[in-house]
Amino acid sequence: MDALRRPSTIAFFALLAIAAVMPMVLGQAKFPQWLEVAIGGLLTGVLYSLVAIGLVLIFKASGVFNFAQGAMVLFAALTLVRLAEKMPLALAIVLTLLVMIAMAWVIERFVLRPLVNQEGIVLFMATLGVAYFLDGFGQAVWGSDIYTLHVGMPKEPKIILEGTFQGGVLVDMEDLVAAVIAAALVAALTLFFQKTATGRALRAVADDHQAAQSIGIPLNRIWVIVWSVAGLVALVAGIVWGSKLGVQFSLSQVALKALPVVILGGFTSIPGAIVGGLLIGLGEKLSEVYLGPFFGGGIEAWFAYVLALVFLLFRPEGLFGEKIIDRV
Amino acid sequence: MIYRETGQFKTTYASDQQLFPILQDRAFVIAALAFAFAVVPFIASDYMFRAILTPFLILSLAALGLNILVGYCGQVSLGTGGFMAVGAYAAYNLAVRVPQLDLLVVFVLAGLCAAAVGVLFGIPSLRIKGFYLAVATLAAQFFIDWAFARIQWFTNDTPSGSVSAPPLEILGYAIQGPQRKYLLVLAIVSVAALVARNLTRGAIGRSWMATRDMDVAAEVIGIRPLTAKLSAFAVSSFFVGISGALWAFVYLGSWEPLAFDVNRSFQLLFMVIIGGLGSILGSFLGAAFIVIMPLVLNQLPTMLGIPLSTAMISDIEFMVFGALIVFFLIVEPRGLARLWAIGKEKLRLWPFPH
Amino acid sequence: MNLRELEPGTAERKLGEPILAVDGISLAFGGVKALSDVSFDVREREVRAIIGPNGAGKSSMLNVINGVYRPQAGKISFRGEARAHMQPHRSAQLGIARTFQSLALFKGMSVLDNILAGRNLMMKRNLLWQALRIGPALTEEIAHRHRVEEIIDFLEIPHVRKTPVGRLPYGLQKRVDLGRALAAEPKVLLLDEPMAGMNVEEKQDMSRFILDVNEEFGTTIVLIEHDMGVVMDLSDRVVVLDYGRKIADGTPDEVRASQAVIDAYLGVKH
């Protein structure tokens, strides 16, 4: 990962670290409270990363920026929570997964294949249409109430490090479990990409569509697989987010935040999605708690986007993305 | 038979380059305008004005602005709602703090404010393209949302956050009642459409389209991306800002930041895609479609005898919009405007098949 | 036999002083060296060909002259002014125009609009005048239309002037590309494989256009071409590149006889 060794990357992280610890330097906060806020932010960041990973997967393999990822998260969560009302959870999860695979097939057949040679911007707008369709469809079929998802996540916050700091540090156990789940997911995905034949094929397609086709890799099937995997990731994200917030329409709006995450991390990098998510989550929480009061609050609504914007000005390809060269 | 160019020879470049070179087109447009200005005010119902015509015209103006940015210049923007908000709040502040200004002046100044903000948030387009730019414009949208909700000065320190426009008066005439509002909006939008058409036909329009089609080649022939892109943002935001001011003052009366949120931005983008990117007519067709569709969807179940809840209707609306976007992108990426042009082509040949 | 000698009544072309010169240009993309220490000059009113096997760096050389690429080392001199690198729109302002190997036309616009776009640099009326499109803006637009129509007549494409370029056959698209470059009334015209993909008749037409431009308007021409016959017929001097290095520089006859050039084309290992 030589991207990490680039001086601009190091400078960026150094600046961030300084900005992050400012509240303590300025005496605004003591370490235990700061740690609480930081950990809370990092854990929220993990949840953003979950959604972002789905985006990166699809972009890597099909060059499509899937604006519908958030809608997919909501749809997966809705399907699961409503099915779980009528059957054991495990069965509901399997059925939802099948539904997501079916959805991947439908999207490939009716949206991607007819638009295969169009420019990126057309495909992006098509996924915008898919997002709207899914939002309407999900709520039409499953209803638009707020549903609680019970997957056995711990609900009580725990106090850790009581010995080190007076009063200890409050940590949301649910977020912690979510982080562990995300780590497991990333590990599984990495294994899948590196060790299996399908994974290799996916990486080939991500590199060069035509070259992959010319050695016999069936593009259409690959895309169905990728979108299914993205659907699986969406399901995991849906479970985690839905358990935390309740399954409701605003879930797809929350997932909009995954966009600045992939910008920060680079569109083609899963580690980038994770780092980006952590940075955004951390930055959001810290700025809301410590900068917010000066601005009347509500900074969380735009902080991620402005950060992404600033980043784009200096590094359009993101932290770990590939540099884009225009050839004429 | 009716729609033929035979006998219409252009002997000067001026006549070749006029707005509607074909006689039948000219006649049609003049008739349509005459109808809109002189006949409609007397035959349309209050409901038609309030629910259909006035919002259609105002949103057409916004779609026109967005089309200049996205369709002609190729810069994707998801922050249009925010620029409408700038126009609306700028107009509000000007009207309330400087009451001597005539409302037309207020609208133009509001447009200029929106243009300035547009240029500011357009600066990233010099380094960022495509959907990266779309996400950057979301930054504009959310930031502007927050600014108008939290910064008291903008809302004249109204505690509730929702503001009301003062009574409308232009050049001494009170603009009250649906007919007068409709005529005011119609006049403004007609002028705007003419200006937009002139710009897109001129050197600046060519610089936009060149930047959209192949920006490296454009730069090589001397078209500076800076000037092209920022001018597109400026002109686009000018129109969008005025439409925001009109939406707030003429259509809504009183409003809060939510009226211009990210959903508005999506709605406008849909208008432009369905109507036709890079087409002035397309902006109008798309706006008409998006305004009328929910009304049709609302009436349809009752007409067909199937009772549906409002929630279900709204869900179906989402589904229909989403499906239509995909449909148009696959079948006719150039939207309704292209279908209209194809229709005209067929009319030119009629009654012959080809 | 050089085409020029066959044309009756051809005016004596006086080749001028060097109008364009590149000095020690090196260009690399990541680890790939596209150009290594290339130097040559171009005399005013000359037709200079750049030839070489595929991947020799010919297009990159034009891109450097134009400002699309920034060289890591070397200077570009135009009319005596030396620069470390060029900016694309600056090169247009200075009077350098070019065509592209892969056309790079504005597909969404008509032939007329594409060529008119080439004249954008000369349009002075600002936004407000254009919005009203009366008086000075209209006069300007019409004046430029006159010039563009002359170019369209010269290139023999008036029958397709309103057609969107995306719909034209390849040969006509090439002419539009040339027309767009000519619209700027350039001092130096860079042509990147103008004959690529053409049949014999189309090549004869294009050769005629290029010669006419050079002789009637005195435009200096720098030309990348693979067709040796065309190169020998049209050009005054030739530069040969191979693997990013200059291996020969002289008249067509001198270059044809050079051993280094023969080796390069036959693929002798070096």
Side-chain angles (χ1 to χ4, degrees), chain A:
Chain A
M1 264 216 241
D2 49 39
L4 283 173
R5 264 169 255 136
R6 260 186 266 173
S8 45
T9 321
I10 300 177
F12 176 74
F13 279 112
L15 262 169
L16 269 185
I18 295 174
V21 300
M22 271 314 227
M24 289 187 290
V25 169
L26 294 172
Q28 226 186 330
K30 296 247 185 332
F31 186 63
Q33 291 97 312
W34 183 91
L35 195 61
E36 258 174 44
V37 175
I39 292 182
L42 281 172
L43 291 177
T44 318
V46 167
L47 300 181
Y48 289 145
S49 304
L50 270 178
V51 182
I53 287 174
L55 275 173
V56 169
L57 277 175
I58 290 184
F59 190 80
K60 265 177 94 83
S62 49
V64 177
F65 183 81
N66 180 21
F67 199 84
Q69 190 71 17
M72 281 164 66
V73 169
L74 173 63
F75 186 76
L78 262 179
T79 313
L80 178 65
V81 81
R82 296 290 266 153
L83 284 178
E85 284 170 11
K86 309 201 174 73
M87 60 188 77
L89 186 63
L91 185 58
I93 291 183
V94 171
L95 270 181
T96 312
L97 192 55
L98 288 175
V99 167
M100 297 309 280
I101 294 178
M103 182 169 68
W105 187 90
V106 167
I107 291 180
E108 191 279 322
R109 181 71 186 77
F110 293 108
V111 179
L112 293 183
R113 218 185 292 182
L115 289 173
V116 74
N117 277 322
Q118 301 282 354
E119 302 152 23
I121 203 70
V122 172
L123 286 161
F124 166 64
M125 295 203 271
T127 60
L128 201 60
V130 170
Y132 260 69
F133 182 85
L134 265 183
D135 275 343
F137 182 63
Q139 288 180 76
V141 171
W142 300 121
S144 44
D145 293 328
I146 303 179
Y147 300 102
T148 15
L149 183 60
H150 302 289
V151 285
M153 295 281 235
K155 291 291 178 193
E156 279 104 45
K158 200 159 159 200
I159 300 185
I160 61 170
L161 300 175
E162 264 187 278
T164 332
F165 303 107
Q166 191 191 30
V169 171
L170 205 65
V171 170
D172 194 339
M173 283 312 291
E174 180 163 27
D175 285 345
L176 203 56
V177 172
V180 171
I181 293 178
L185 182 66
V186 171
L189 284 174
T190 319
L191 271 173
F192 174 65
F193 279 114
Q194 303 290 91
K195 301 291 177 199
T196 65
T198 326
R200 273 197 296 279
L202 282 173
R203 284 191 290 144
V205 168
D207 253 350
D208 189 334
H209 287 182
Q210 281 192 307
Q213 260 183 318
S214 65
I215 61 173
I217 297 180
L219 223 49
N220 296 333
R221 219 184 309 153
I222 292 291
W223 285 344
V224 174
I225 295 177
V226 169
W227 282 72
S228 302
V229 174
L232 165 67
V233 173
L235 177 56
V236 173
I239 292 176
V240 166
W241 272 108
S243 168
K244 182 179 166 72
L245 290 182
V247 178
Q248 51 177 315
F249 185 60
S250 60
L251 212 54
S252 64
Q253 302 288 322
V254 159
L256 215 56
K257 281 272 177 66
L259 303 179
V261 169
V262 291
I263 286 185
L264 221 63
F267 270 88
T268 47
S269 160
I270 292 189
I274 300 172
V275 172
L278 291 175
L279 284 175
I280 297 263
L282 182 64
E284 251 186 10
K285 265 291 169 340
L286 282 177
S287 66
E288 180 63 43
V289 170
Y290 295 117
L291 276 182
F294 296 117
F295 292 101
I299 295 197
E300 270 181 312
W302 52 262
F303 180 81
Y305 295 96
V306 173
L307 186 62
L309 172 57
V310 169
F311 205 72
L312 279 174
L313 294 174
F314 295 104
R315 269 273 267 277
E317 69 270 18
L319 276 173
F320 301 114
E322 293 140 14
K323 237 179 153 63
I324 321 151
I325 304 181
D326 269 321
R327 291 218 86 154
V328 182

Side-chain angles (χ1 to χ4, degrees), chain C residues 2-223:
Chain C
N2 197 301
L3 252 181
R4 294 168 187 282
E5 297 165 29
L6 295 175
E7 285 280 307
T10 311
E12 264 299 306
R13 268 178 329 123
K14 285 271 185 59
L15 294 186
E17 292 306 305
I19 186 177
L20 175 67
V22 293
D23 192 14
I25 296 284
S26 291
L27 177 70
F29 298 111
V32 180
K33 282 203 141 251
L35 295 167
S36 300
D37 198 31
V38 178
S39 309
F40 62 90
D41 65 23
V42 183
R43 312 241 286 273
E44 203 166 354
R45 289 184 289 279
E46 177 175 39
V47 177
R48 193 83 145 101
I50 302 180
I51 66 175
N54 274 324
K58 310 187 292 288
S59 288
S60 302
M61 190 70 242
L62 286 193
N63 282 338
V64 165
I65 295 177
N66 234 158
V68 176
Y69 291 156
R70 264 193 192 198
Q72 274 74 27
K75 289 202 308 277
I76 307 152
S77 305
F78 185 67
R79 300 183 115 185
E81 277 177 49
R83 287 178 175 72
H85 61 87
M86 189 69 89
Q87 302 245 350
H89 64 267
R90 187 89 185 97
S91 80
Q93 281 169 347
L94 288 172
I96 304 176
R98 73 170 284 177
T99 64
F100 294 87
Q101 196 176 4
S102 54
L103 288 180
L105 288 175
F106 306 129
K107 290 255 158 63
M109 289 156 69
S110 67
V111 169
L112 196 54
D113 280 336
N114 263 273
I115 304 182
L116 267 171
R119 286 192 82 79
N120 253 33
L121 253 186
M122 303 183 217
M123 303 226 184
K124 296 287 176 243
R125 294 298 154 197
N126 66 18
L127 190 72
L128 225 40
W129 279 117
Q130 287 185 38
L132 301 172
R133 207 177 166 92
I134 54 174
L138 197 55
T139 329
E140 186 181 60
E141 185 84 13
I142 294 183
H144 287 297
R145 174 81 187 263
H146 268 288
R147 284 295 288 134
V148 168
E149 289 287 345
E150 285 170 19
I151 294 174
I152 290 179
D153 282 336
F154 171 71
L155 291 169
E156 294 166 12
I157 45 175
H159 53 295
V160 290
R161 64 158 78 77
K162 295 269 176 84
T163 318
V165 294
R167 289 211 223 137
L168 293 176
Y170 184 71
L172 291 184
Q173 284 182 337
K174 279 273 197 200
R175 289 197 211 171
V176 176
D177 201 15
L178 181 59
R180 189 178 59 181
L182 290 176
E185 297 180 20
K187 300 276 177 326
V188 175
L189 188 54
L190 308 173
L191 299 173
D192 197 343
E193 299 201 33
M195 319 269 181
M198 289 189 173
N199 62 31
V200 173
E201 279 159 29
E202 288 170 331
K203 285 194 188 181
Q204 283 177 347
D205 285 337
M206 190 56 99
S207 303
R208 191 164 34 93
F209 293 140
I210 295 176
L211 276 182
D212 281 344
V213 168
N214 176 248
E215 282 165 16
E216 278 179 40
F217 306 124
T219 311
T220 313
I221 303 212
V222 180
L223 158 74

Side-chain angles (χ1 to χ4, degrees), chain A residues 59 63 65 67 110-111 114-115 118 120-122 124-126 128-130 132-133 135-137 139-140 144 249 253 256 259-260 263 267 295-299 301-302 305-306 309 312-317 324 326 328, chain B residues 70 76 78 121 123-125 127-140 142-143 146-147 150 215-216 262-263 266-267 269-270 273 277 311-312 314-316 318-323 325-326 329-330 333:
Chain A
F59 190 80
F65 183 81
F67 199 84
F110 293 108
V111 179
L115 289 173
Q118 301 282 354
I121 203 70
V122 172
F124 166 64
M125 295 203 271
L128 201 60
V130 170
Y132 260 69
F133 182 85
D135 275 343
F137 182 63
Q139 288 180 76
S144 44
F249 185 60
Q253 302 288 322
L256 215 56
L259 303 179
I263 286 185
F267 270 88
F295 292 101
I299 295 197
W302 52 262
Y305 295 96
V306 173
L309 172 57
L312 279 174
L313 294 174
F314 295 104
R315 269 273 267 277
E317 69 270 18
I324 321 151
D326 269 321
V328 182
Chain B
V70 181
V76 183
L78 288 175
F121 280 104
I123 291 176
S125 73
R127 285 206 56 153
I128 320 170
K129 294 185 192 175
F131 28 76
Y132 291 84
L133 187 61
V135 179
T137 55
L138 277 179
F142 289 125
F143 182 79
W146 171 85
R150 301 285 172 154
D215 52 355
V216 181
V262 72
N263 292 309
F266 283 139
Q267 186 193 42
L269 190 62
F270 289 161
I273 296 177
L277 289 163
M312 180 63 87
S314 133
D315 290 336
I316 294 188
F318 270 69
M319 286 170 62
V320 169
F321 279 141
I325 294 276
V326 176
L329 285 172
I330 294 175

